[in-house]
Amino acid sequence: MLRRLLRHLLIALLCGFAVFLILIVAAWYNLRGEWNMCRNQDQTRLYGLRSLRTQIVDYHEAHGVLPADLAEIPGAKAMLQQPGEPLLDSWGNPFQYRRQGETFELFSYGRDGQLGGIGLNADLYHDQRNRKLARPTFQQFFLTNDESEVARNSFLSAGLMAGCLVVFFTLLSLRDTSKAGDKMTAGRYIWFALVVIVISSVVGVFLLPVHIPNGH
């Protein structure tokens, strides 16, 4: 009796964990390009790079040349917390501006403050040339416990809740099967677990797009 209960508990836990993991992977895959999911990145793009790019273009149209540095832009002075300090991105690192004849490069080094990187550490450019590269990796999505970097806590909670429900109903189903006198072989246990995982995951993934726009 005890061995059967432990076996049922192990199967239920495996099913619940599998569903949790599948839903988290699905959430990560669908959330990577969504607005306001990586808030520091989005704020740097919208309120930093895009705003500065517009001001640089306006300066060029007004003066016929590109500014030598960001300090020459009149509108940029209003963005400074302290006069004389460099303009900072969402992570407190200076924006990078390079004038190259009649063209320019404007970018942020990203979260790590260093050139290069992927995901949250990728450089962010005003022309969004590497926007796909800047999408968070699964490791960053799962392990970054900072809502300003990745707003994913509500999805982890939902995935955990779904996993717990799967564990609960799997245990109930196995108990009813035992009461009915059905003999469960290893093969039947495997098929049972696969059916539970597939059905639960399909339902969860189907409901995922409903939650993504609101971030919950």
Side-chain angles (χ1 to χ4, degrees), residues 71-135:
E72 292 187 8
I73 305 174
K77 297 178 181 179
M79 301 171 62
L80 294 174
Q81 294 183 352
Q82 295 292 335
E85 291 186 352
L87 288 170
L88 305 179
D89 59 22
S90 299
W91 300 277
N93 301 315
F95 283 105
Q96 305 298 312
Y97 170 73
R98 297 171 183 171
R99 184 176 63 175
Q100 301 171 335
E102 290 299 308
T103 62
F104 67 92
E105 275 197 343
L106 177 66
F107 62 98
S108 161
Y109 281 140
R111 183 179 66 168
D112 62 355
Q114 300 178 8
L115 184 64
I118 61 173
L120 299 177
N121 297 325
D123 301 336
L124 305 176
Y125 290 85
H126 72 277
D127 55 7
Q128 302 190 39
R129 69 186 67 170
N130 65 338
R131 185 176 179 87
K132 290 185 178 180
L133 185 65
R135 293 175 177 177

Side-chain angles (χ1 to χ4, degrees), residues 9-40:
L9 180 60
L10 177 61
I11 293 172
L13 289 174
L14 288 175
C15 290
F17 178 75
V19 171
F20 167 77
L21 188 59
I22 290 171
L23 294 182
I24 294 305
V25 171
W28 161 73
Y29 185 82
N30 285 279
L31 285 174
R32 293 178 301 163
E34 289 294 320
W35 165 253
N36 209 33
M37 288 301 165
C38 298
R39 294 170 185 170
N40 281 340

